[in-house]
Amino acid sequence: MSTPILRIQNLQCHFGGLRALDGASFDVSAKKVTGLIGPNGAGKTTLFNCISGLLPKTAGTVVFKGVDISTNSPDKITNRGLMRTFQLARGCPRMTVFEHLMLYGRSQSGEGVIAALMGGKKVSIEEAELRDKALALAKRLKLDHVLDNLVTALSGGQKKLLEIGRALMSEPELILLDEPMAGVNPALVEQIAEHLKDIRARGCSILLIEHEMALIEALCDDVVVMAEGKFLTRGSFSEVASNKTVQEAYLGMKRS
Ligand SMILES: Nc1ncnc2c1ncn2[C@@H]1O[C@H](COP(=O)(O)OP(=O)(O)OP(=O)(O)O)[C@@H](O)[C@H]1O
Ligand SMILES: [Mg+2]
């Protein structure tokens, strides 16, 4: 395994008596696509919530690029270069696609708002750079024709693309993707898969939660399996798919 960009060590997250994460530990390789699979309720989304600072950890540590980020705020984690998308795409209802991208580009640095208050030349330069970045990203994700549409008017698949775009605005080094292709029509799934390959080719590391095994096989260099809040095993797709313990973990827990 190449150098890890992220190390998850003994991560625990309890909701009352429920151990959603129960001592999960594994590394995420740099510049690769790592698949994260496991039955419904295995704790995958909870893991993303804990890594990205949205949920308090009961115990354990998260180390990103050699720095312990376990107690960092979500903003600080984002600014360090770690972004995540949500299983259910979010969106500010009254914003257009363009405004949405601009907002997230701005909130990453934290400088845009201060500069805007101070006024002056710096603002216009930053604003122009941000605009260029949002336009280029929209073009890359084929969202340029809906830039002026309200986020709420997008199709499910376009919302998923916008989630990816939002995450990419901050030029992350690691991106956590929570089922970016779930519920999306086949043509758009293909398109999103190509974008993920492109993101990897540009040197960004990806941790990808996905239930569709054909996509995991096609996209991932390495696959981590979780069950009942714990790390179960890891390996190539074929190693993991033929593992009896993995098959047992899925038994009777197939997604409806
Ligand atoms: N905020 C919460 N409060 C209470 N229980 C929660 C909360 N979030 C998650 N859980 C529970 O924690 C467990 C793990 O949930 P999680 O959403 O992380 O699973 P998952 O692996 O992402 O599943 P899926 O594949 O269905 O998305 C489940 O039993 C879930 O009901
Ligand atoms: Mg989930």
Side-chain angles (χ1 to χ4, degrees), residues 3-17:
T3 326
I5 189 163
L6 188 75
R7 310 200 85 154
I8 296 150
Q9 293 163 330
N10 189 32
L11 208 57
Q12 302 192 29
C13 179
H14 302 173
F15 298 111

Side-chain angles (χ1 to χ4, degrees), residues 45 87 178-179:
T45 297
Q87 190 166 351
D178 198 348
E179 301 196 35

Side-chain angles (χ1 to χ4, degrees), residues 13 15-16 18-21 38-49 55 87 178-179 209 211 226 229 255:
C13 179
F15 298 111
L18 178 81
R19 294 169 178 248
L21 290 178
N40 297 126
K44 305 178 297 294
T45 297
T46 305
L47 183 87
F48 275 19
N49 288 337
L55 261 184
Q87 190 166 351
D178 198 348
E179 301 196 35
I209 299 177
H211 280 282
M226 278 182 68
R255 207 173 172 77

Side-chain angles (χ1 to χ4, degrees), residues 7 24 26 35-36 61 103 106 115 169 191 196-197 218:
R7 310 200 85 154
F26 65 91
L36 179 58
T61 53
L103 174 75
R106 184 175 287 118
M169 276 301 284
Q191 220 188 89
L196 300 195
K197 287 181 197 166

Side-chain angles (χ1 to χ4, degrees), residues 1-2 7 9 15 51 59 64 74 83 101 191 196 213:
M1 187 178 154
S2 60
R7 310 200 85 154
Q9 293 163 330
F15 298 111
I51 296 171
F64 178 56
M83 276 300 285
L101 288 173
Q191 220 188 89
L196 300 195
M213 290 303 142

